[in-house]
Amino acid sequence: MTMKEVKIPFLTVVVVAALLPIWVLAAAKQHHQKGGETKKLRFGSDGQFKILQVADMHYGNGKTTTCLDVLPSQFPTCSDLNTTAFVHRMIQAEKPNLIVFTGDNIFGFDAADAAKSLNEAYAPAISSNIPWAAVLGNHDQESDLSREGVMKHIVGLQNTLAQVNPLDQDVIDGFGNYNLEVSGVEGSGFENKSVLNLYFLDSGDYSTVPSIGGYGWIKPSQQYWFERTSAKLRKAYTSKPQAQKAPAPGLTFFHIPLPEFGSFDSSNFTGVRQEGISSASVNSGFFTTMVAAGDVKAAFIGHDHLNDFCGELSGINLCYAGGFGYHAYGKAGWDRRSRVVVASLEKSEKGGWGAVKSIKTWKRLDDQHLTAIDGQVLWSKSSAGTRRKKPVGGT
């Protein structure tokens, strides 16, 4: 048992290292590695904040890992490097403010060295110098690192804002539960206020309850953390300075779909549904928890690669990204794809930037032209709950 000085912003304490939750040690290590500075997310001077969602890269061992479900003409030269090239293309085309990887980032069964595969999978994000975040899927831990080990490795990489777990809750299920705040435009009345809140949760891998089969789910301890965090952020946003009447919009990111993703048909979603909804066999109640909180406007997931739709239910848009990676199952001739989400601010009466006015989304295909499809408004301040079609890939 060793004594260790742990430095967390605004706090220096001497603790018994062996007794600390592992995510406290990881967070302290991350803070130290990055020079004590955490990159603050904020809207740009154009009043926009853009998120690039990358779902299910299924990265293996790089150029020696073959592709699945591609056209015969593509197969001989296709590998994980095609996935890497697609990430680069999306970053260059969209120039996002944040990149979010929503699980199954590596395919553990085929990754000989998890750390090496993780480094290579995230390399385009790291080299771009753009902040990025990640959650785990059900395959990330199937190599030589546990789920805890994978998340600890991720938080040690450059430019990531991912966290192993929140520091203010000692007991929480999973690894990779955290939130990020996005402040308003610098120089505006909202520069020190979070106007967009991002929640990241570990939806698990597989059930650990012997009598329940199938995939994992978001547990009560995680929902408790979400409820507390959402309540704290809602209180801050509706308090002075710049007190607002309604909460700042929130977005959630996790991997495995909730059962409520099965509530739609082709008449009430945008995109395609080409396979079943592979949710847990039990309903954890997290959808109801989000509805009750009142701030979440959309949830973004992966897992089912052939689904890429968004549908609105009880004021929350439930959105698949569609399969991104080439070593993941797909459909030959159906292009790999990525989702883009853009939040835009309103102009104040004095001409400055104010609160979030709208949240829009579209997808891009990994074809010759990075074709943008399925542009839609997920939420707007003036007509909350109304889903309207908009021109694809733009303002």
Side-chain angles (χ1 to χ4, degrees), residues 56-389:
D56 297 271
M57 286 192 293
H58 278 235
Y59 198 93
N61 297 311
K63 64 181 180 181
T64 61
T65 299
T66 58
C67 297
L68 301 179
D69 299 324
V70 294
L71 296 172
S73 60
Q74 297 173 305
F75 186 79
T77 58
C78 190
S79 71
D80 279 336
L81 300 188
N82 290 68
T83 301
T84 298
F86 187 21
V87 181
H88 278 299
R89 292 184 77 199
M90 287 299 303
I91 291 172
Q92 292 167 2
E94 292 290 358
K95 298 176 176 59
N97 302 99
L98 177 70
I99 305 166
V100 177
F101 298 90
T102 51
D104 283 1
N105 308 306
I106 64 171
F107 188 66
F109 279 129
D110 293 337
D113 181 336
K116 183 174 184 291
S117 294
L118 289 165
N119 294 346
E120 293 179 1
Y122 296 124
I126 294 170
S127 64
S128 74
N129 206 32
I130 294 170
W132 59 278
V135 294
L136 302 182
N138 54 294
H139 290 303
D140 293 284
Q141 78 292 339
E142 293 170 339
S143 180
D144 57 353
L145 288 177
S146 65
R147 291 181 76 76
E148 180 181 8
V150 170
M151 206 66 212
K152 285 174 62 180
H153 185 83
I154 288 171
V155 302
L157 297 176
Q158 291 297 310
N159 301 324
T160 187
L161 299 179
Q163 299 167 31
V164 178
N165 267 329
L167 295 174
D168 60 353
Q169 186 167 326
D170 288 343
V171 178
I172 189 168
D173 287 279
F175 300 95
N177 303 287
Y178 57 100
N179 70 290
L180 297 175
E181 301 176 16
V182 186
S183 301
V185 175
E186 191 170 7
S188 72
F190 290 85
E191 68 174 338
N192 295 314
K193 207 174 186 77
S194 179
V195 298
L196 179 67
N197 296 310
L198 312 177
Y199 304 97
F200 303 83
L201 297 105
D202 181 4
S203 55
D205 49 7
Y206 302 96
S207 171
T208 57
V209 180
S211 60
I212 300 174
Y215 292 109
W217 57 87
I218 296 171
K219 305 296 197 305
S221 64
Q222 298 167 276
Q223 297 189 47
Y224 174 67
W225 164 79
F226 166 79
E227 288 175 314
R228 286 179 58 218
T229 304
S230 173
K232 179 185 70 175
L233 293 169
R234 296 195 313 266
K235 182 178 179 180
Y237 194 67
T238 54
S239 302
K240 295 181 179 180
Q242 296 286 346
Q244 301 297 298
K245 295 180 180 180
L251 307 175
T252 58
F253 299 88
F254 47 95
H255 182 71
I256 296 174
L258 305 174
E260 286 80 5
F261 274 77
S263 302
F264 311 106
D265 57 41
S266 58
S267 69
N268 58 5
F269 66 65
T270 299
V272 298
R273 174 177 172 175
Q274 302 178 111
E275 62 176 309
I277 309 301
S278 300
S279 59
S281 59
V282 297
N283 192 324
S284 69
F286 185 56
F287 179 77
T288 302
T289 298
M290 290 192 292
V291 172
D295 61 336
V296 174
K297 307 307 176 188
F300 300 97
I301 65 158
H303 194 55
D304 298 325
H305 309 171
L306 298 181
N307 296 336
D308 72 354
F309 66 82
C310 275
E312 187 269 329
L313 182 66
S314 300
I316 298 178
N317 284 272
L318 302 178
C319 297
Y320 278 102
F324 189 102
Y326 281 87
H327 186 52
Y329 77 83
K331 184 178 180 181
W334 192 69
D335 295 300
R336 265 58 174 188
R337 58 204 58 214
S338 183
R339 182 171 292 282
V340 180
V341 182
V342 176
S344 301
L345 301 178
E346 62 186 359
K347 280 283 189 178
S348 67
E349 293 179 0
K350 296 181 180 179
W353 292 112
V356 174
K357 174 184 65 176
S358 67
I359 300 172
K360 305 173 185 178
T361 187
W362 58 88
K363 300 183 292 284
R364 284 193 184 272
L365 309 180
D366 191 22
D367 59 12
Q368 182 180 354
H369 304 290
L370 277 180
T371 303
I373 63 170
D374 294 339
Q376 64 184 116
V377 176
L378 297 178
W379 175 83
S380 67
K381 190 174 183 180
S382 59
S383 55
T386 300
R387 188 163 61 93
R388 298 175 287 136
K389 288 292 186 73

